Amino acid sequence: MATRPNLNTSARPLLRPHLGRGWAFPLKPVNGRLAMAREEEDIEQAIEIILRTAPTERVMLPGFGAGLQQFLFAPNSPVTHRRVEDVVRRALVAHEARITVERVAARAAAQETNLMEIEIDYVVRRTNSSFNRVFPFYLNEAE
């Protein structure tokens, strides 16, 4: 009988426990258990959760989240980009203490008129490692 690789990362020791470990996003079972995210991957997934969550969506943390949904029908314009940058920066500073946000830049995508790319440059505080994440946000502009 062939043995399956151990995909449960919770069984392996953390190399940098100060960066954390949590359930992987999106939730998915692996070998009958929930998959885990570790260290920098956990931070990256936490950023995505913050960006995808609307305030009041979490009952026990009503202020959690960036609330990007409020821009769903906004024009893909420089004014909207600056507002999104401010909302994203504030949400990350408030809800992800493991990072320092260096820069947030929103821009219209070159190929798709309804796509806004939100670029986030951040530093993991405990390791002083720099990362860059581009988050796609689709707008449904009103005609």
Side-chain angles (χ1 to χ4, degrees):
M1 178 178 215
T3 60
R4 294 187 297 189
N6 184 2
L7 299 176
N8 182 3
T9 60
S10 64
R12 298 189 321 247
L14 289 174
L15 299 175
R16 294 166 297 210
H18 52 275
L19 296 181
R21 173 177 53 209
W23 290 347
F25 176 78
L27 292 176
K28 58 186 171 201
V30 176
N31 296 331
R33 296 178 179 218
L34 289 177
M36 302 295 282
R38 306 159 45 92
E39 301 164 352
E40 285 89 353
E41 179 187 18
D42 186 43
I43 293 171
E44 184 172 326
Q45 290 181 5
I47 290 170
E48 184 167 349
I49 290 168
I50 292 166
L51 296 179
R52 291 187 182 276
T53 303
T56 71
E57 190 174 329
R58 287 191 167 185
V59 176
M60 300 302 285
L61 292 170
F64 182 86
L68 290 177
Q69 295 83 348
Q70 67 184 304
F71 300 104
L72 187 60
F73 294 103
N76 199 353
S77 68
V79 172
T80 304
H81 299 161
R82 299 304 82 78
R83 290 180 57 211
V84 166
E85 290 168 2
D86 184 58
V87 166
V88 168
R89 177 180 292 282
R90 288 175 189 265
L92 292 176
V93 167
H95 303 298
E96 186 47 78
R98 296 175 290 182
I99 66 170
T100 299
V101 178
E102 296 289 317
R103 184 176 72 93
V104 177
R107 63 181 176 272
Q111 302 298 332
E112 297 183 58
T113 59
N114 68 327
L115 174 61
M116 180 189 308
E117 297 174 331
I118 305 167
E119 186 175 357
I120 303 163
D121 295 335
Y122 63 96
V123 174
V124 176
R125 291 180 177 175
R126 297 294 294 264
T127 62
N128 203 31
S129 300
S130 296
F131 292 89
N132 174 276
R133 169 103 163 91
V134 177
F135 180 80
F137 182 67
Y138 287 90
L139 302 162
N140 292 323
E141 294 187 47
E143 299 293 324

